[in-house]
Amino acid sequence: MMGQQPRVESLFYYFRLEDQISEDHLLRLIDRYVDFSFVRERLKKFYSSTGRPSIDPEVLLRLLLVGYLYGITSERRLLDEVRMHLAYRWFTRLGFEQQIPDHSTFSKNRHGRFRQSGVFREVFEEIVRRCVEAGLVDGQNLAVDGTMIGANASRQSRVPRERLQEAAQVSRTVREYLAELEQVNPVSDAEMVSTTDPDAILATKGGGTAIMAYYDNYLMDTASRVIVDVEATPALSRQEMVAACRMIERVEKLGLRLKSLGADKAFGSGEFLAWLLARGVQPHIPVIDRRHQTGGHFTRNQFRYEPAENIYYCPEGKPLRYRGRRRDSQGYAYCSTAAQCQGCPQKQRCTAAPYRWLFVHGQESARQIVRSLAGTPAYERSQRARYKIEALFAELKQRVLLRRVRLRRLWNVAEQFLMAATAQNLKRLVRFLAQRQAVPAPSTA
């Protein structure tokens, strides 16, 4: 065509991928400071020594990391990007003479050998260990929170729980779900269950539109913003504290020794606070407290407690005796009698009922200890520092682009959350190591 110049290519040329990657490129820093060869040894038993050679598991891991580091959420697109991007090829050890794996082979290995071996959690914990060894994390002051991530399922996919057997006739996912229910108790007892992803829950946060979702729970070292543990749960508020307990138990096994935990009021139940105190952890958490929700009547603080008698006395000196444990609300009841309250000059200020009763939480002593911590310098520091976790969630959704999971079922979602957190930690680890290496050693002269 007119004006178009013919393409002329050199017959011989010298080209090395290594020379094209700048020294301060993120992937070069990760390659310099982090050795992923342990993955080969860990997955050795999942690969046959005969037949057609398999894809190197370290290459598969590096491919996955590229996707999470650069927010490439589609496997097809990830492999296309690796094919065209010099830095991605170099990092994944896929030179121009090597063929890029087909996306189906990639998926088969990822959802087969990788998931069976539990290697995703091992990779995450290995990076956390290296953060600790490097001095980036001390793990004494942590914060916990969760964020809602959309599930790969629609509201319209839900059916009444009693129709699951019918849905199982045409849905493999539902058949697998029902088989699992025979072995373990379900986390959720929701009346409506999604046939697309039975583990997802219809939920809303902040008054927005309800969506099918999961919670991505992070346990963060407040000084470094390194995620020391992560847990995937259905989007149920009561699961946040369950996840926090699991994460704390795991990091203790990694050798971290917590001194304090910062969190918002959603974690301020008496049971959770008592659990932390029993482990020697100071809960820097606002207590869930309804003592003052009395409709304008006398609060419990205006009643005098006598431990030797186990009796509360009202402002008029009338006794409220112990009436037993209330299992529905995990506490104890103390009541007066109608005869005692009849004719009392302060009855209108005390109660509208024939008699007055008080509820005392079963973990009141733990709640009182935590109330006494509020306002201390350490408590205030923890409360300020815990907001750093919101920056991690913003990075997760805006950079990693994990606003909605691609995979279905809780174990697949857990894989995505673990790999996203691993990518976030890798960035902090290698930049910390690079900055430390750049600082000249002090002169001994």
Side-chain angles (χ1 to χ4, degrees):
M1 291 179 66
M2 217 171 155
Q4 185 175 13
Q5 299 295 323
R7 292 183 60 181
V8 179
E9 295 187 4
S10 174
L11 182 61
F12 300 102
Y13 59 89
Y14 175 78
F15 183 89
R16 275 202 330 159
L17 273 174
E18 174 77 22
D19 299 334
Q20 311 307 312
I21 316 302
S22 63
E23 288 298 317
D24 60 350
H25 194 285
L26 174 63
L27 293 180
R28 183 178 283 281
L29 294 177
I30 293 174
D31 190 71
R32 179 184 301 156
Y33 293 115
V34 183
D35 180 8
F36 296 107
S37 60
F38 72 93
V39 175
R40 290 198 197 99
E41 186 63 29
R42 181 64 184 83
L43 291 172
K44 185 189 297 183
K45 65 181 180 181
F46 293 92
Y47 286 81
S48 173
S49 58
T50 61
R52 187 176 178 181
S54 301
I55 302 171
D56 186 342
E58 183 181 345
V59 170
L60 288 175
L61 175 62
R62 286 171 176 267
L63 283 166
L64 279 171
L65 285 173
V66 167
Y68 284 97
L69 287 164
Y70 293 98
I72 305 172
T73 58
S74 161
E75 288 179 355
R76 286 177 183 267
R77 183 175 155 234
L78 171 61
L79 295 174
D80 284 343
E81 292 284 341
V82 171
R83 182 175 290 107
M84 301 296 294
H85 199 292
L86 295 181
Y88 298 171
R89 272 190 176 269
W90 174 82
F91 180 72
T92 57
R93 308 290 195 265
L94 293 170
F96 291 117
E97 74 284 357
Q98 292 175 279
Q99 186 176 359
I100 303 296
D102 183 78
H103 74 91
S104 60
T105 306
F106 182 59
S107 296
K108 184 177 179 180
N109 279 270
R110 176 185 186 179
H111 302 310
R113 298 182 177 99
F114 272 42
R115 192 172 74 195
Q116 293 166 17
S117 66
V119 75
F120 293 111
R121 176 156 289 281
E122 289 196 21
V123 169
F124 170 80
E125 291 182 350
E126 179 64 23
I127 300 306
V128 172
R129 272 191 288 269
R130 295 184 188 188
C131 290
V132 174
E133 291 167 2
L136 178 58
V137 168
D138 66 16
Q140 294 186 0
N141 303 298
L142 305 183
V144 66
D145 204 355
T147 189
M148 197 166 75
I149 304 292
N152 188 3
S154 69
R155 298 176 58 167
Q156 290 70 34
S157 67
R158 296 180 304 147
V159 299
R161 185 172 287 276
E162 58 268 20
R163 286 182 53 196
L164 284 177
Q165 290 289 351
E166 177 186 337
Q169 304 301 316
V170 294
S171 171
R172 177 183 172 184
T173 299
V174 177
R175 287 197 298 274
E176 291 174 349
Y177 176 69
L178 291 175
E180 291 165 16
L181 292 187
E182 295 178 0
Q183 302 176 12
V184 296
N185 293 324
V187 171
S188 168
D189 55 359
E191 295 180 2
M192 301 286 285
V193 180
S194 168
T195 57
T196 305
D197 187 350
D199 294 330
I201 300 294
L202 185 66
T204 182
K205 205 165 188 177
T209 303
I211 60 171
M212 302 301 292
Y214 289 92
Y215 277 160
D216 190 357
N217 301 280
Y218 277 2
L219 186 62
M220 176 195 72
D221 179 71
T222 54
S224 63
R225 290 196 303 143
V226 167
I227 304 157
V228 294
D229 210 335
V230 56
E231 179 82 5
T233 65
L236 295 166
S237 58
R238 65 176 182 268
Q239 284 293 304
E240 288 189 287
M241 278 176 284
V242 174
C245 292
R246 289 175 184 163
M247 292 189 290
I248 290 168
E249 288 173 342
R250 281 197 295 259
V251 298
E252 287 175 342
K253 291 178 181 177
L254 290 175
L256 300 184
R257 293 292 175 261
L258 284 74
K259 287 186 176 179
S260 71
L261 180 74
D264 61 27
K265 197 171 184 177
F267 293 84
S269 76
E271 293 73 25
F272 183 59
L273 300 177
W275 184 85
L276 289 172
L277 289 170
R279 304 179 88 83
V281 179
Q282 283 198 348
H284 294 159
I285 303 170
V287 179
I288 297 175
D289 204 340
R290 298 184 177 88
R291 291 177 302 163
H292 303 288
Q293 296 177 5
T294 60
H297 295 124
F298 289 146
T299 66
R300 181 155 58 83
N301 291 346
Q302 294 171 279
F303 290 72
R304 176 172 54 87
Y305 179 64
E306 289 294 340
E309 301 175 85
N310 193 20
I311 291 175
Y312 279 88
Y313 287 92
C314 76
E316 285 293 308
K318 307 286 179 63
L320 281 74
R321 300 184 186 278
Y322 175 66
R323 303 299 183 186
R325 183 175 181 86
R326 296 190 57 175
R327 295 185 179 180
D328 59 333
S329 51
Q330 298 177 326
Y332 307 99
Y334 292 79
C335 293
S336 63
T337 65
Q340 288 173 325
C341 294
Q342 189 175 12
C344 177
Q346 300 204 65
K347 185 175 184 298
Q348 287 187 344
R349 296 180 62 193
C350 187
T351 180
Y355 57 88
R356 178 63 191 263
W357 73 276
L358 294 178
F359 169 75
V360 180
H361 198 283
Q363 299 293 346
E364 187 59 30
S365 59
R367 286 153 53 90
Q368 192 56 45
I369 291 171
V370 177
R371 287 191 197 103
S372 70
L373 295 173
T376 62
Y379 181 96
E380 295 300 323
R381 282 195 299 272
S382 285
Q383 282 294 301
R384 288 193 299 269
R386 74 174 177 82
Y387 287 104
K388 295 179 183 178
I389 208 166
E390 298 297 337
L392 291 176
F393 291 145
E395 179 187 26
L396 177 74
K397 296 178 181 181
Q398 296 171 14
R399 299 288 181 87
V400 184
L401 299 183
L402 194 57
R403 301 185 189 92
R404 182 172 184 261
V405 294
R406 292 182 296 103
L407 307 177
R408 294 164 179 159
R409 302 305 310 276
L410 186 59
W411 60 79
N412 281 325
V413 171
E415 169 208 311
Q416 290 184 266
F417 291 173
L418 281 165
M419 289 303 297
T422 299
Q424 290 177 280
N425 284 346
L426 275 171
K427 292 178 184 179
R428 283 159 185 79
L429 173 61
V430 299
R431 285 170 180 158
F432 171 78
L433 293 173
Q435 288 171 4
R436 188 171 67 178
Q437 190 177 53
V439 176
S443 174
T444 57

